[in-house]
Amino acid sequence: MTQIPIFSAEQIDYFMQVALNEAQLADEAGEVPIGAVIVKDNEIIARAHNHREAHQLATAHAELVAIESANHILNSWRLENTALFVTLEPCIMCAGAIINARIPTVYFGAADSKGGGTRSLYHLLEDDRLNHRVEVHPDIRASEGGRLLQDFFGKIRKKRQSKK
Amino acid sequence: MTQIPIFSAEQIDYFMQVALNEAQLADEAGEVPIGAVIVKDNEIIARAHNHREAHQLATAHAELVAIESANHILNSWRLENTALFVTLEPCIMCAGAIINARIPTVYFGAADSKGGGTRSLYHLLEDDRLNHRVEVHPDIRASEGGRLLQDFFGKIRKKRQSKK
């Protein structure tokens, strides 16, 4: 039977810090700064950041890359007994990937009012009609994840204005 | 500006036939038989089938694999002016990937009453709140796409019963 991992406040803080570090790496590479980690048996088994621009891949969101990495490491499409930490609310695609991978619990940072599929626009992870449901923990170090994004888009706006 | 490709009935029939051929390849490999193709300028630029089991990848649905293949071929995460044909209604993940890749139009075969994110459970591709909307054409050679799936799951049930 699938078990839902339980963490202390310190562990949650630490795993989200690693996800924030991944988001920072995305930022430094000129990518929208979002990071994710997947944890099993209290250890990080996959970490990733968004690299849509570098690889020109529509699917290269932090969560999807981390899920595929964890699939490879465990040699299993089923990610039972794992937890996913991500600095921004998962979009529709990533929420669907979390369901497809049977991840039992998700911790996310900032809300995404324009595209969030996990709480903002839809509650896709908590739909009783689907064959898998996910425990959702929103608002974990949300201000830090959100600030990275605000600063990133602020820099882009400045660049655009200076070109005018 | 993004243009939505327009096809004749013969073209739609042909492109879905190629997707059905892909589904058949999945079936022969012991995978849930679902196939997809992506078309640009009236030519197929990517074709794929589900290979979740062979690669142990939760994300290896036909649509997602086809999208990533098209991203590589065009060296662009944006799949503007393309069309996606798939033998089964896209799930939540694949609907999200279609949105993220900015595909303007989708033709699908059989409905998926248990997991379909495109018409059955959600209308994710037609949500005015999102930054991209998709023209949806359901029920294209649906009985053929559906029969492949029925036969596949019928064979699995028979195998299970013979083991009892």
Side-chain angles (χ1 to χ4, degrees):
Chain A
M1 212 190 92
T2 289
Q3 289 186 333
I4 301 180
I6 297 170
F7 302 111
S8 67
E10 288 73 21
Q11 283 180 305
I12 292 168
D13 190 67
Y14 170 69
F15 293 134
M16 190 57 88
Q17 180 60 55
V18 180
L20 286 163
N21 294 351
E22 282 291 326
Q24 185 66 45
L25 290 174
D27 187 82
E28 288 163 15
E31 303 274 358
V32 178
I34 303 162
V37 302
I38 294 177
V39 173
K40 190 175 184 189
D41 298 333
N42 294 319
E43 288 192 9
I44 292 171
I45 59 166
R47 60 174 77 195
H49 56 264
N50 169 45
H51 58 240
R52 182 180 71 174
E53 300 300 330
H55 291 206
Q56 287 296 310
L57 264 181
T59 55
H61 285 195
E63 303 94 308
L64 209 98
V65 179
I67 287 169
E68 293 186 342
S69 175
N71 287 151
H72 284 303
I73 285 158
L74 300 177
N75 192 30
S76 171
W77 64 261
R78 287 179 180 272
L79 300 181
E80 288 164 352
N81 311 328
T82 66
L84 184 140
F85 292 75
V86 56
T87 57
L88 182 70
E89 179 183 353
C91 76
I92 290 169
M93 174 184 76
C94 291
I98 288 162
I99 294 165
N100 290 347
R102 309 287 191 267
I103 294 175
T105 185
V106 166
Y107 294 75
F108 75 80
D112 180 2
S113 62
K114 290 182 183 170
T118 308
R119 281 288 165 93
S120 295
L121 299 182
Y122 294 97
H123 285 58
L124 296 168
L125 298 183
E126 298 154 295
D127 184 337
D128 284 338
R129 299 170 302 173
L130 296 169
N131 64 357
H132 180 70
R133 273 158 303 285
V134 182
E135 199 183 78
V136 176
H137 305 267
D139 205 29
I140 310 294
R141 301 184 67 168
S143 61
E144 291 161 273
R147 197 176 316 124
L148 277 169
L149 287 159
Q150 278 179 345
D151 290 352
F152 178 83
F153 289 112
K155 278 186 283 183
I156 284 181
R157 272 193 301 273
K158 263 193 190 165
K159 261 190 198 164
R160 277 194 195 143
Q161 282 167 350
S162 70
K163 278 183 186 166
K164 276 181 187 170
Chain B
M1 212 190 89
T2 289
Q3 288 186 335
I4 301 181
I6 297 170
F7 302 111
S8 68
E10 288 74 20
Q11 283 179 304
I12 291 168
D13 191 66
Y14 170 70
F15 293 134
M16 191 56 87
Q17 180 60 55
V18 180
L20 286 163
N21 295 350
E22 283 290 326
Q24 185 66 46
L25 290 175
D27 186 82
E28 288 164 15
E31 302 274 358
V32 178
I34 303 162
V37 302
I38 294 177
V39 173
K40 189 174 184 187
D41 298 334
N42 293 320
E43 289 192 12
I44 292 170
I45 59 165
R47 61 174 76 193
H49 56 265
N50 169 44
H51 58 240
R52 184 182 68 173
E53 300 300 332
H55 291 207
Q56 286 297 310
L57 263 181
T59 55
H61 286 195
E63 303 94 309
L64 209 98
V65 179
I67 287 169
E68 293 186 343
S69 174
N71 287 151
H72 284 304
I73 284 157
L74 300 176
N75 192 30
S76 170
W77 65 261
R78 287 180 179 272
L79 300 181
E80 288 165 352
N81 311 327
T82 66
L84 184 139
F85 292 75
V86 57
T87 57
L88 181 71
E89 179 183 355
C91 75
I92 290 169
M93 174 184 76
C94 291
I98 288 162
I99 293 165
N100 290 348
R102 309 286 191 268
I103 294 175
T105 185
V106 166
Y107 294 75
F108 75 82
D112 180 2
S113 62
K114 289 182 185 170
T118 308
R119 282 288 165 94
S120 295
L121 300 183
Y122 293 97
H123 286 59
L124 296 169
L125 298 183
E126 298 155 293
D127 184 338
D128 283 339
R129 299 170 301 173
L130 296 169
N131 64 357
H132 179 71
R133 273 157 302 285
V134 182
E135 198 182 79
V136 176
H137 304 268
D139 205 27
I140 310 294
R141 301 184 67 168
S143 61
E144 290 162 272
R147 197 176 315 124
L148 277 169
L149 287 159
Q150 277 178 344
D151 290 351
F152 178 83
F153 288 112
K155 277 185 283 182
I156 285 181
R157 272 193 300 274
K158 263 193 189 166
K159 262 190 201 167
R160 277 192 194 145
Q161 282 167 350
S162 70
K163 279 184 188 166
K164 279 182 186 172

